[in-house]
Amino acid sequence: MTRKAAHLISHSHWDREWYMPYERHHYLLTELMNDLLDVLEQDPRYRYFHLDGQTIIIEDYLQVHPEKREQLEAYIKGGRIIIGPWYVLQDEFLTSSEANVRNLLIGHQDAAKYGVISKLGYFPDSFGNMGQAPQLLKQADIDTAVFGRGVKPTGFDNVVIDTNGSGYESPYSEMYWSAPDDSTVVGILFANWYSNGNEVPVEAEAAKAFWDKRLGDAQKYASTPELLFMNGCDHQPIQRDLGDAIDTARSLYPDVEFIHSSFEQYIDALKKQLPDNMVTIQGELRSQHTDGWGTLVNTASISNS
Ligand SMILES: [Zn+2]
């Protein structure tokens, strides 16, 4: 039987200011980070946390808790808190091209202090993606991007239903993405959003219902048996009992390898198995035909992504 793996990647997508003023979100951010350090300290089963691809979170936190610097640094250097590559998560169409370049450079400068950086083009909540992103990423030695919008996955049991010839569709959640200069990265769409592994139940009956649905949804689009489950959502607190939830999942599904994973681990496993029939999408990703997730391109009425 083919090995099937469920990669749970813990994160919290952080809008620094959105439906509440900056300081209220900032307050919640300090709680999130305090909880994160606590759970990393206490539970070795909680292996990694993806810090939303934006290094500014580190300065926001240390501004309030400078005494935590050493502890935070140790987890970043040890690879359990994963930072970068951006300084902030920008809306790619509302900022200038040069700002997008500087954003990546500053993120790299910030991460250089720790000697580690996530080499992943992280665009979880961007309302469409800029056409030259693959070129920019490749020049920063990044060959993979993840994003939540701009492409419609058409797969159902991995069969293409209707591509309409628009160039925005992919049969899988995985695809190649090319810039106008032909720089190409592997693109991964959060086809079931970046919360498809959020709040995983510990109790067996609830966990069975949760995983039956979520495993099915992920397999609908996945091109390989490496399945991605994002354990988090917008401003989502740490799931402190995730270790127990994973233990429950393992006992319920002996044929699935549940891993508290990192993007690096997931992408390494994925790349070994990518199929030959992946499509290449070109340039700007701004399809409005995604399932319920309109791209709202060039819309400034929400503060950021
Ligand atoms: Zn957002």
Side-chain angles (χ1 to χ4, degrees):
M1 187 191 288
T2 317
R3 168 184 174 273
K4 197 185 297 171
H7 294 262
L8 280 117
I9 296 183
S10 292
H11 78 108
S12 189
H13 172 57
W14 210 265
D15 301 287
R16 295 177 73 232
E17 181 182 5
W18 183 23
Y19 49 79
M20 293 190 298
Y22 167 74
E23 284 300 351
R24 291 186 67 183
H25 278 295
H26 194 187
Y27 176 79
L28 293 177
L29 179 68
T30 61
E31 285 196 327
L32 171 87
M33 294 300 292
N34 285 337
D35 268 4
L36 174 61
L37 294 177
D38 198 40
V39 79
L40 287 171
E41 202 73 49
Q42 290 183 13
D43 190 350
R45 296 174 302 174
Y46 200 102
R47 297 169 69 200
Y48 306 112
F49 188 80
H50 195 82
L51 201 59
D52 200 33
Q54 48 179 342
T55 58
I56 198 170
I57 290 177
I58 300 167
E59 60 189 87
D60 283 348
Y61 178 61
L62 293 179
Q63 196 181 70
V64 180
H65 286 292
E67 78 285 0
K68 301 276 195 177
R69 179 179 294 276
E70 210 174 305
Q71 193 186 9
L72 180 62
E73 258 187 43
Y75 283 122
I76 294 171
K77 288 179 176 170
R80 290 181 74 190
I81 296 178
I82 295 151
I83 63 165
W86 304 104
Y87 177 48
V88 297
L89 286 189
Q90 79 281 35
D91 185 299
E92 299 153 65
F93 295 130
L94 294 178
T95 49
S96 75
S97 307
E98 183 62 18
N100 288 325
V101 174
R102 295 284 146 192
N103 188 14
L104 194 55
L105 285 171
I106 295 168
H108 276 68
Q109 283 165 2
D110 269 358
K113 296 170 203 156
Y114 304 91
V116 285
I117 186 167
S118 165
K119 285 291 190 180
L120 172 66
Y122 200 62
F123 303 102
D125 201 17
S126 303
F127 290 89
N129 295 287
M130 56 188 165
Q132 278 173 295
Q135 181 182 356
L136 181 59
L137 295 173
K138 284 301 274 282
Q139 288 185 21
D141 203 21
I142 295 172
D143 65 7
T144 309
V146 294
F147 43 86
R149 297 188 180 86
V151 176
K152 181 178 172 60
T154 56
F156 181 75
D157 294 335
N158 296 333
V159 174
V160 179
I161 300 166
D162 177 13
T163 63
N164 291 324
S166 78
Y168 286 128
E169 287 91 2
S170 165
Y172 302 124
S173 40
E174 297 79 42
M175 61 204 79
Y176 296 109
W177 180 19
S178 286
D181 78 334
D182 287 335
S183 299
T184 302
V185 297
V186 172
I188 301 165
L189 174 75
F190 294 125
N192 298 292
W193 205 231
Y194 53 69
S195 57
N196 68 328
N198 193 28
E199 296 181 349
V200 186
V202 173
E203 186 273 320
E205 197 177 327
K208 178 88 170 61
F210 177 95
W211 282 115
D212 279 353
K213 169 97 173 67
R214 305 303 173 101
L215 285 163
D217 287 348
Q219 286 176 98
K220 188 169 154 185
Y221 301 115
S223 63
T224 80
E226 307 293 328
L227 307 176
L228 174 62
F229 296 95
M230 296 296 287
N231 173 239
C233 196
D234 293 1
H235 319 118
Q236 181 71 25
I238 302 297
Q239 182 173 353
R240 298 189 69 114
D241 60 5
L242 183 64
D244 293 338
I246 292 176
D247 286 347
T248 302
R250 285 175 179 150
S251 68
L252 288 171
Y253 301 87
D255 59 327
V256 181
E257 185 185 356
F258 286 86
I259 306 165
H260 195 218
S261 194
S262 63
F263 276 109
E264 191 179 357
Q265 195 175 337
Y266 159 68
I267 289 166
D268 277 354
L270 177 81
K271 283 186 176 168
K272 290 185 185 125
Q273 302 176 66
L274 289 173
D276 295 334
N277 64 340
M278 296 221 306
V279 301
T280 300
I281 48 166
Q282 307 278 348
E284 286 185 358
L285 309 185
R286 49 166 69 204
S287 172
Q288 297 288 346
H289 301 295
T290 51
D291 295 332
W293 300 105
T295 53
L296 299 174
V297 170
N298 293 329
T299 301
S301 62
I302 51 168
S303 60
N304 62 16
S305 65

